[in-house]
Amino acid sequence: MVLSCIDPRFQPIVFNYLNKKKLKGKYSLFTIAGASIGVTAPKFKNWHKTFWDNFETSIKIHNIQKLIVINHRDCGAAKIINEKKKFNSLNELKIHKSSFKKIKKIFKKKYRKLKIETYLISLNKKIEKFN
Ligand SMILES: [Zn+2]
């Protein structure tokens, strides 16, 4: 399953990236503001359960083996989390990294046998993997 953000600018980038990875027709897509931010940040706590329930259902129906998380730079959800602090690339990176850490922690506890990968797309369309 792929977890990505709702931002229109990044839809073609995500789509092309997954095609390049030869995943066309092989993934389910769950799209929500902030991607891993939306499903881990306390600010969006009403969304968390929906994601995990949906993921559980996907595993049962579609034999999901892996969760691919794709966040992106200049994300509106990151701006909301950042609140009144100055929004710069360093603060934003911290927010993405923290959400990757959180989602991995929850994921590994729930799904020991499945894999998770986390990525961040920059504004120049580069996609960086985070371990
Ligand atoms: Zn976003």
Side-chain angles (χ1 to χ4, degrees):
M1 176 186 268
V2 175
L3 170 64
S4 62
C5 183
I6 57 173
D7 192 314
R9 296 172 294 169
F10 294 86
Q11 305 309 320
I13 301 169
V14 170
F15 181 78
N16 291 333
Y17 178 69
L18 294 168
N19 281 353
K20 238 199 251 166
K21 287 188 91 165
K22 307 240 184 296
L23 291 173
K24 192 174 185 178
K26 292 183 178 172
Y27 61 89
S28 312
L29 186 58
F30 189 98
T31 304
I32 193 162
S36 64
I37 297 169
V39 303
T40 59
K43 189 99 187 166
F44 307 114
K45 67 173 190 294
N46 292 341
W47 302 350
H48 302 180
K49 189 179 183 294
T50 303
F51 169 70
W52 291 110
D53 285 353
N54 184 85
F55 187 71
E56 185 69 33
T57 305
S58 282
I59 289 174
K60 286 176 187 155
I61 299 174
H62 301 120
N63 188 30
I64 299 290
Q65 307 285 330
K66 192 194 273 186
L67 176 63
I68 300 172
V69 179
I70 309 178
N71 286 26
H72 68 90
R73 285 284 191 174
D74 196 41
C75 184
K79 288 175 185 171
I80 291 169
I81 298 301
N82 194 59
E83 290 183 323
K84 283 173 187 166
K85 277 176 275 168
K86 196 178 170 211
F87 192 74
N88 57 34
S89 64
L90 197 70
N91 285 344
E92 184 180 16
L93 185 62
K94 275 185 200 162
I95 291 167
H96 288 292
K97 277 185 170 175
S98 147
S99 78
F100 290 156
K101 212 188 242 181
K102 277 184 198 164
I103 197 168
K104 280 178 179 168
K105 197 177 166 189
I106 300 165
F107 187 86
K108 285 176 180 169
K109 213 182 265 177
K110 287 187 180 201
Y111 305 106
R112 284 198 191 113
K113 288 178 184 164
L114 304 190
K115 287 180 181 151
I116 180 165
E117 293 173 4
T118 50
Y119 298 89
L120 183 62
I121 311 174
S122 62
L123 286 176
N124 64 10
K125 301 183 182 178
K126 268 194 186 161
I127 302 180
E128 193 185 344
K129 189 175 182 184
F130 282 81
N131 289 316

